[in-house]
């Protein structure tokens, strides 16, 4: 499904820290973007009060609540834009463009779905988990964090009765180690489709295990973006389709790609 490009205004409903590393901002719009956004798509935000930050900043929509016109975004402070974002007060107007990109493939009958996320990459799986549960599918999830104080989002998966494995690198919460060390039990559950989102080192260890088992899957990629809607070509990656290597834009042909197509 291609993206619909809209510019819309939204109001900050809530902006709070949810763990040592991440904040959750909930935006309320006029019902247009929140209704149109599918799991895995992203929006491009202008950071209010910082007109000097020339480029919009891209953020995955973690989930939406179309009945209340809400969009949920989980973010990590890495620079000036996200620092300014963390200071936005309830009631502030935010200019957003979106939904952008192609989100997760959403089967009508999802079956057993394995959602694998690391750090910030856990959030773009929220709306997907809700969709799968809503369609009668079963959600298995393996979520990786550095340590207990950085764990977030488990409640969303509990609410859909997911089978949840949490790992922490230092063993302070859940299973000790990395996500790829604890995939085996989930991979033995006759998984119909896997969905992966997280830092590249995690992605690169997880994908070969899925390919080995011949599991169909998708991965959400991130790249530093200029425009976010296909014009500047700053986000191009190599994709293999029908035996040919093609250059594709993560912002428009992605950010979600088949794990069999990405050239690692
Ligand atoms: C499709 C997509 C979805 C994203 N979803 C989320 C999300 O849900 N939550 C979240 O916290 N972040 C997400 N990001 C990353 C987010 O866009 C950047 O962290 C943000 O733009 C940084 O802005 P800044 O002004 O704070 O930092 P800057 O001052 O612009 O940069 C600070 C540091 O972050 C690095 N950086 C900037 N942009 C990116 C990027 N796109 N990918 C990797 N490193 C980057 C820079 O190289 C620099 O080292 C997403 C990016 C993309 C492309
Ligand atoms: S960010 Fe400009 S083409 Fe993708």
């Amino acid at each position: 499904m291609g993206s619909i490009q809209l510019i819309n205004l939204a109001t900050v409903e809530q902006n709070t820290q949810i763990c040592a590393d991440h904040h959750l901002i909930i935006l309320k719009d006029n019902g247009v973007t929140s209704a149109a956004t599918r799991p895995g798509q992203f929006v491009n935000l202008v950071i209010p009060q910082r007109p000097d930050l020339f480029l919009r900043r891209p953020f995955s929509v973690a989930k939406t609540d179309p009945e209340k016109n809400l969009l949920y975004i989980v973010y990590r402070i890495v620079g000036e834009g996200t620092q300014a974002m963390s200071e936005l007060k309830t009631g502030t107007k935010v200019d957003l463009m979106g939904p952008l990109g192609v989100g997760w493939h959403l089967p009508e009958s999802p079956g057993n779905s394995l959602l694998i996320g690391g750090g910030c990459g856990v959030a773009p799986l929220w709306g997907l988990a809700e969709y799968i549960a809503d369609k009668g599918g079963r959600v298995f999830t393996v979520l990786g964090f550095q340590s207990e104080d950085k764990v977030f989002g488990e409640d969303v998966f509990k609410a859909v009765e997911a089978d949840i494995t949490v790992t922490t690198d230092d063993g302070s919460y859940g299973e000790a180690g990395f996500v790829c060390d604890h995939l085996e039990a989930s991979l033995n559950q006759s998984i119909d489709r896997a969905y992966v989102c997280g830092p590249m080192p995690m992605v690169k260890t997880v994908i070969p295990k899925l390919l080995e088992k011949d599991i169909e899957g998708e991965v959400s990629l991130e790249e530093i973006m200029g425009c976010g809607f296909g014009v500047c070509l700053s986000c191009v990656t190599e994709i293999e389709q029908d035996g040919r290597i093609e250059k594709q834009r993560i912002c428009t042909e992605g950010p979600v790609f088949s794990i069999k197509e990405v050239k690692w």
Side-chain angles (χ1 to χ4, degrees):
M1 186 178 62
S3 63
I4 310 163
Q5 288 164 30
L6 303 163
I7 293 189
N8 201 356
L9 274 184
T11 308
V12 176
E13 278 276 299
Q14 184 186 316
N15 190 13
T16 41
Q17 190 162 358
I18 52 170
C19 72
D21 248 4
H22 291 94
H23 290 66
L24 169 67
I25 190 165
I26 305 178
L27 302 174
K28 188 179 179 83
D29 77 344
N30 57 7
V32 176
T33 314
S34 51
T37 305
R38 300 285 164 256
Q41 290 189 292
F42 66 99
V43 290
N44 246 352
L45 299 185
V46 173
I47 309 291
Q49 287 94 26
R50 290 301 307 261
D52 56 313
L53 299 179
F54 177 63
L55 293 173
R56 288 172 179 268
R57 298 310 198 243
F59 295 94
S60 297
V61 176
K63 64 174 207 157
T64 58
D65 184 340
E67 279 172 23
K68 296 183 182 160
N69 300 353
L70 300 178
L71 298 116
Y72 289 62
I73 292 170
V74 174
Y75 64 97
R76 199 161 65 89
I77 299 175
V78 295
E80 288 186 77
T82 41
Q83 179 59 48
M85 205 165 147
S86 72
E87 292 158 14
L88 294 177
K89 301 270 182 282
T90 303
T92 310
K93 295 267 185 255
V94 178
D95 171 316
L96 59 84
M97 178 193 285
L100 296 170
V102 178
W104 304 110
H105 172 64
L106 303 173
E108 260 314 298
S109 308
N112 285 350
S113 305
L114 175 58
L115 280 50
I116 304 167
C120 223
V122 167
L125 301 171
W126 285 2
L128 177 65
E130 289 181 348
Y131 170 87
I132 292 166
D134 196 45
K135 291 283 176 185
R138 178 131 189 245
V139 177
F140 295 82
T141 184
V142 184
L143 312 172
F145 303 92
Q146 288 172 341
S147 52
E148 182 174 19
D149 58 337
K150 295 181 178 170
V151 175
F152 72 89
E154 224 188 327
D155 50 327
V156 177
F157 300 100
K158 279 186 182 154
V160 299
E161 296 177 4
D163 180 305
I164 305 169
T165 303
V166 176
T167 69
T168 48
D169 303 354
D170 65 0
S172 52
Y173 186 84
E175 306 290 335
F178 299 116
V179 161
C180 62
D181 304 328
H182 297 281
L183 276 183
E184 212 51 42
S186 309
L187 292 179
N188 290 334
Q189 300 289 338
S190 68
I191 295 299
D192 295 296
R193 198 168 191 89
Y195 302 85
V196 185
C197 190
M200 209 33 105
M202 181 207 92
V203 169
K204 283 186 171 170
T205 52
V206 161
I207 302 289
K209 289 184 185 277
L210 299 175
L211 293 174
E212 238 170 63
K213 301 250 178 192
D214 207 23
I215 293 174
E216 290 292 329
E218 291 163 36
V219 58
S220 181
L221 299 181
E222 236 187 59
E223 188 48 85
I224 293 182
M225 290 187 176
C227 67
F229 51 85
V231 175
C232 72
L233 304 183
S234 68
C235 64
V236 166
T237 191
E238 289 193 335
I239 299 294
E240 186 172 344
Q241 273 176 344
D242 305 323
R244 284 198 322 271
I245 305 290
E246 291 190 355
K247 293 202 185 302
Q248 296 204 346
R249 296 158 298 181
I250 290 182
C251 67
T252 39
E253 281 86 38
V256 172
F257 294 96
S258 157
I259 58 171
K260 292 187 177 155
E261 290 178 350
V262 178
K263 294 300 289 173
W264 299 105

